[in-house]
Amino acid sequence: MLRAPAAGRVLLLCALLGRLAAAGSKDLPTAVNITWSSINFKTILRWQPKPSNYSYTVEIHGQTSNTQKKCILTAETECDVTDVLRNVRETYTAHILSVTSSRMDNFEEPPFAVSEKFTPYNQTILGKPEIQNYTQKDSKLNIVFKDPLTPYTFSNGSFKSIRDIFKHDLEYKLYYWKDQSSGKKYVTTKSLTFEINVDSTKNYCFHIQGIIPSRRENRDGQESRVLCTSIGRNILDEYGAEVFIIIAVIAIAVITIAVVLSVILCKCKKTKAAREKEPLNGV
């Protein structure tokens, strides 16, 4: 059993070591350049610098929800925080803590950096819609497409689409133009189909993107890939008049060379025949 003076010295030593650990942790670098990257509610938190001799732990703080930790003692500089942002209308901040292994037994708060506020409903980017089918018949162009899916699921395990979350706030915009023309037009819809009137003699190209008109920022989503119809498409439509001209020039050159060679060969044959008919000298 320790005597009182010895016990006091042990406590004093422990307190001193704790202070040294706390002082050392305060000198740890804190995260900088913290950014939120979110598409269809799949949200990744990124920051710098890469840690050396320490780690990071991420805390997500909601205005009305409990603090939740993610990526505990990670050596990475990004963290998928999608699953702790399920209340998509909540506004969150991230605290990125710089910690060491010795710090885990210390009750003082480690140094940390705070991100900007992030509200998934207002700030996630709408991903590319998937075009399922399109047809151009006579003067009608019909397009059918799908909502992008989110990482969140219903109770039965099926994934929610962005429409399941945004509901009537979600619209889609179709940009379309005559093939090989730069003049674009657009129409909008709240459904998953477009039907527009077009020139039945022309081919059309188009792409689709989701939009949230009620937003002040990030209103427009990512654009789908560009597709084009092929009604009555011929080689001139496909490749342009320039290619036709090049082909014509090559064809004329080949014909000209063939004619010239034929003439030369014919003259050579006539000359050879004439020489063969001449009498031999001295006969």
Side-chain angles (χ1 to χ4, degrees):
M1 183 173 180
L2 289 173
R3 289 177 296 176
R9 284 195 295 271
V10 171
L11 292 174
L12 181 61
L13 180 59
C14 290
L16 180 60
L17 290 174
R19 289 182 181 180
L20 288 173
S25 67
K26 289 179 181 177
D27 293 333
L28 292 177
T30 54
V32 296
N33 299 330
I34 305 171
T35 58
W36 300 89
S37 176
S38 182
I39 300 176
N40 296 333
F41 297 102
K42 172 77 170 178
T43 305
I44 308 294
L45 193 66
R46 294 188 174 94
W47 64 89
Q48 295 175 328
K50 195 79 173 175
S52 177
N53 299 321
Y54 68 99
S55 304
Y56 292 113
T57 294
V58 175
E59 290 182 349
I60 300 298
H61 296 253
Q63 288 184 334
T64 61
S65 56
N66 295 329
T67 300
Q68 300 192 63
K69 289 188 176 183
K70 290 287 294 181
C71 303
I72 298 171
L73 295 178
T74 180
E76 303 299 323
T77 54
E78 68 175 42
C79 182
D80 187 339
V81 295
T82 304
D83 63 331
V84 295
L85 307 182
R86 292 181 180 276
N87 183 358
V88 296
R89 293 181 180 269
E90 174 81 285
T91 298
Y92 301 91
T93 56
H95 291 194
I96 302 178
L97 286 60
S98 300
V99 295
T100 60
S101 56
S102 62
R103 187 69 187 168
M104 298 302 294
D105 297 327
N106 196 299
F107 293 103
E108 292 190 17
E109 189 173 40
F112 63 90
V114 181
S115 72
E116 294 183 355
K117 293 180 180 180
F118 178 73
T119 307
Y121 192 89
N122 296 332
Q123 293 175 261
T124 196
I125 302 297
L126 303 183
K128 300 176 182 179
E130 179 186 343
I131 297 173
Q132 292 183 294
N133 185 39
Y134 62 96
T135 57
Q136 182 180 345
K137 186 175 181 181
D138 299 328
S139 61
K140 296 289 184 182
L141 173 59
N142 291 278
I143 302 166
V144 180
F145 59 97
K146 284 177 61 177
D147 291 315
L149 298 178
T150 75
Y152 300 132
T153 59
F154 293 103
S155 57
N156 63 4
S158 62
F159 288 99
K160 295 181 179 180
S161 70
I162 60 172
R163 183 181 300 274
D164 294 319
I165 295 176
F166 286 111
K167 301 187 184 303
H168 297 297
D169 283 343
L170 175 65
E171 293 183 8
Y172 286 97
K173 184 179 287 188
L174 169 71
Y175 289 93
Y176 66 101
W177 59 96
K178 291 179 181 178
D179 194 5
Q180 301 185 13
S181 169
S182 58
K184 290 186 178 182
K185 298 180 180 179
Y186 73 87
V187 292
T188 60
T189 185
K190 286 183 177 290
S191 70
L192 292 172
T193 60
F194 283 102
E195 181 178 278
I196 57 174
N197 294 317
V198 294
D199 185 338
S200 60
T201 64
K202 299 292 183 181
N203 290 301
Y204 284 80
C205 297
F206 59 89
H207 64 75
I208 301 172
Q209 66 182 152
I211 57 172
I212 306 293
S214 60
R215 284 182 174 180
R216 294 182 180 179
E217 299 178 352
N218 302 321
R219 294 178 72 253
D220 298 335
Q222 296 177 335
E223 298 175 356
S224 71
R225 64 192 180 110
V226 174
L227 295 173
C228 298
T229 62
S230 57
I231 299 300
R233 185 183 290 271
N234 54 40
I235 191 170
L236 289 179
D237 294 327
E238 190 75 28
Y239 300 105
E242 294 84 357
V243 174
F244 179 78
I245 293 171
I246 292 171
I247 293 173
V249 169
I250 293 172
I252 292 171
V254 170
I255 292 171
T256 301
I257 292 171
V259 171
V260 171
L261 288 175
S262 297
V263 171
I264 293 172
L265 289 173
C266 184
K267 286 184 178 181
C268 289
K269 288 180 180 179
K270 287 181 179 180
T271 302
K272 185 178 180 181
R275 286 178 178 177
E276 289 176 350
K277 289 180 180 181
E278 290 179 358
L280 294 175
N281 291 334
V283 176

